[in-house]
Amino acid sequence: MRIRPAAPAELPALQDIERAAGAPFRDLGMPEIADDEPPALDVLERYRRAGRCWVAADERDRPAAYLLAEPVDGALHIEQVSVHPRAARRGVGRALLAHAADHAREEGLTALTLTTFTEVPWNAPYYARLGFRPLPEADLTPGLREILATEAAHGLDRRPRVCMRKRL
């Protein structure tokens, strides 16, 4: 897999990746997550234009996974990372996160942050294996608190969630 910026014409494929990556949530009894709509094309385009929408491209240069990120309070916040099931368990997500970490360092940012479900095996436990650590509520920055509030407004807090940080 090669990590590169997303091209404008690939944005609908990113939505397809998101839908496919969400499907396994149904097996965990989380149909509302499986059925959640992917980011709209204009949202994906905003990340792409900002230079913070990367894809992992397969041998035919087609996106198999993607990552969206945004600077938040001195860290690069991973807004979304989705891997199509056909590319799962091959280090693709890890490669995207490493690419984001390199970008964050180049920008002078000190960490990666993300929010995720605590009880989903490919969420918090996976990120912990990659060096992310849960942030206690007292250590949440204003930007992270705002992200968590937005997620709660969308109903994501119905399941246990955690904010995690990895120092760079």
Side-chain angles (χ1 to χ4, degrees):
M1 294 276 167
R2 181 173 73 97
I3 309 298
R4 60 169 175 74
E10 295 173 325
L11 300 182
L14 304 188
Q15 292 177 315
D16 293 340
I17 290 167
E18 181 72 18
R19 286 184 190 100
F25 283 93
R26 189 172 313 287
D27 296 337
L28 293 178
M30 300 171 75
E32 70 281 5
I33 303 304
D35 295 337
D36 193 36
E37 281 299 307
L41 292 175
D42 64 321
V43 172
L44 293 170
E45 176 62 10
R46 182 175 60 83
Y47 281 99
R48 191 197 69 75
R49 282 190 181 196
R52 293 186 299 273
C53 177
W54 298 287
V55 298
D58 65 15
E59 63 281 347
R60 294 172 57 190
D61 202 36
R62 295 175 308 180
Y66 77 97
L67 184 147
L68 306 175
E70 187 79 39
V72 174
D73 299 334
L76 187 64
H77 184 74
I78 307 303
E79 180 59 34
Q80 184 67 41
V81 58
S82 293
V83 178
H84 195 286
R86 73 173 178 262
R89 299 185 181 271
R90 297 184 190 162
V92 177
R94 182 185 309 254
L96 280 165
L97 289 163
H99 183 84
D102 290 343
H103 177 81
R105 284 184 199 95
E106 290 169 8
E107 296 292 316
L109 302 172
T110 61
L112 296 179
T113 60
L114 55 82
T115 58
T116 194
F117 292 107
T118 61
E119 298 171 355
V120 174
W122 60 88
N123 279 193
Y126 169 75
Y127 295 118
R129 288 192 304 274
L130 297 181
F132 285 83
R133 297 294 171 247
L135 275 174
E137 184 160 342
D139 293 343
L140 295 176
T141 65
L144 292 174
R145 288 179 192 281
E146 184 176 327
I147 288 167
L148 289 169
T150 300
E151 291 177 353
H154 287 37
L156 289 177
D157 64 341
R158 283 181 259 158
R159 308 285 181 156
R161 289 184 65 79
V162 65
C163 186
M164 302 180 83
R165 179 181 180 95
K166 179 179 181 177
R167 290 195 179 280
L168 301 178

